[in-house]
């Protein structure tokens, strides 16, 4: 039976109270989506609010100038329809899926950490032995989850995300509500990172985390291996 993957994306189209546009990062959805689908998995896309998920305009270039999987996404009416009509996370049960995957994009920093349905989905997935993966700012979906022993889900786990150094380099350290690497460390995560803008991803048991857009393929590769399917 084909593995079922729940992708949870942001519904935030603005960075907090600013006029800075944001959303999900196209590469971080497209690359793992196609890796998983091409390996035989099925993917359902949910978001905090449901409906149309905003795509960060900065992650989509002129036609023909994008990552091949982003180009494929832009021509894929089926996937674009899923992005237009995402399911509210509150209407989905993560235990019905084999894995939960959080693509990034700065928008995640505003809605994923505070959304109760995301918290419930991650905690349920963890307690039911499901795989949980994130890339870049998608790890914002992990920071509120608590284990049955009362500790943060990431406590004692090798974990990774967009690094503080990368946040400083893109000039948004003073804009995001918190620094994601710092938060993961504060929660007891054993943070391991690579050089800025280099692919880096790690697995610790059920948890698979990657650093930046360049890590999207590596996270998908590790997840596919963990699911026991072949790309």
């Amino acid at each position: 039976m084909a593995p079922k993957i729940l992708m949870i994306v942001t519904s935030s189209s603005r960075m907090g109270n600013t006029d800075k546009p944001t959303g999900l990062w196209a590469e971080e959805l497209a690359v793992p989506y196609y890796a998983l689908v091409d390996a035989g998995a099925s993917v359902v896309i949910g978001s905090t609010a449901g409906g149309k998920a905003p795509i960060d305009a900065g992650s989509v270039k002129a036609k023909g100038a994008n990552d091949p999987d982003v180009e494929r996404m832009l021509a894929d009416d089926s996937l674009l329809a899923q992005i237009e009509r995402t399911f509210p996370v509150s209407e989905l049960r993560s235990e019905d899926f084999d894995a939960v995957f959080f693509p990034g994009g700065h928008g995640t920093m505003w809605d994923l950490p505070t959304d109760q349905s995301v918290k419930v989905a991650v905690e349920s997935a963890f307690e039911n032995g499901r795989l949980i993966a994130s890339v870049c700012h998608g790890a914002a979906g992990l920071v509120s989850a608590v284990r049955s022993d009362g500790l943060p889900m990431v406590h004692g786990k090798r974990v990774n995300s967009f690094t503080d150094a990368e946040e400083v380099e893109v000039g948004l350290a003073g804009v995001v509500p918190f620094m994601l690497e710092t938060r993961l460390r504060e929660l007891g995560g054993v943070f391991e990172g690579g050089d800025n803008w280099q692919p880096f991803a790690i697995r610790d048991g059920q948890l698979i985390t990657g650093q930046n857009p360049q890590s999207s393929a590596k996270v998908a590769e590790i997840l596919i291996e963990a699911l026991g399917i072949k790309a």
Side-chain angles (χ1 to χ4, degrees):
M1 193 169 178
K4 293 176 62 180
I5 315 299
L6 171 58
M7 276 193 170
I8 299 178
V9 300
T10 182
S11 294
S12 296
S13 61
R14 287 286 180 273
M15 295 189 184
N17 296 322
T18 75
D19 60 357
K20 291 179 182 290
T22 187
L24 69 89
W25 200 258
E27 180 181 357
E28 295 171 21
L29 183 145
V31 171
Y33 176 88
Y34 287 118
L36 288 160
V37 169
D38 290 348
S42 64
V43 178
V44 170
I45 303 177
S47 66
T48 54
K52 184 176 182 177
I55 297 176
D56 191 317
S59 68
V60 180
K61 304 181 181 72
K63 188 174 181 181
N66 296 285
D67 174 276
D69 285 313
V70 174
E71 288 291 318
R72 184 177 172 185
M73 179 186 81
L74 296 174
D76 186 340
D77 290 341
S78 175
L79 176 53
L80 292 175
Q82 283 202 68
I83 295 169
E84 285 281 332
R85 297 189 294 273
T86 65
F87 292 93
V89 177
S90 60
E91 295 181 5
L92 300 166
R93 287 162 33 100
S94 63
E95 60 266 33
D96 293 338
F97 296 84
D98 298 287
V100 176
F101 192 111
F102 288 97
H106 273 91
T108 61
M109 296 290 288
W110 278 272
D111 60 347
L112 297 192
T114 57
D115 189 272
Q116 183 64 23
S117 295
V118 169
K119 173 179 162 69
V120 168
V122 175
E123 291 175 349
S124 177
F126 188 80
E127 292 302 324
N128 283 282
R130 305 300 194 258
L131 293 161
I132 301 167
S134 69
V135 61
C136 200
H137 288 93
L142 312 178
V143 300
S144 297
V146 177
R147 304 192 302 236
S148 58
D149 62 6
L151 289 170
M153 189 194 73
V154 299
H155 184 88
K157 294 283 187 182
R158 297 168 61 225
V159 69
N160 171 255
S161 72
F162 200 62
T163 65
D164 290 358
E166 286 169 321
E167 201 71 83
V168 169
E169 190 171 327
V170 298
L172 292 172
V175 177
V176 291
F178 57 88
M179 297 289 271
L180 189 48
E181 174 187 340
T182 295
R183 177 64 60 85
L184 290 168
R185 291 181 184 275
E186 290 170 349
L187 293 169
V190 182
F191 195 91
E192 298 179 18
D195 293 336
N196 288 10
W197 317 118
Q198 296 303 306
F200 186 88
I202 50 178
R203 178 184 179 189
D204 190 341
Q206 295 166 247
L207 196 59
I208 301 164
T209 49
Q211 183 165 321
N212 44 34
Q214 293 80 5
S215 306
S216 301
K218 193 161 185 61
V219 173
E221 178 186 328
I222 296 171
L223 176 58
I224 286 167
E225 182 181 358
L227 288 166
I229 55 178
K230 298 284 187 183

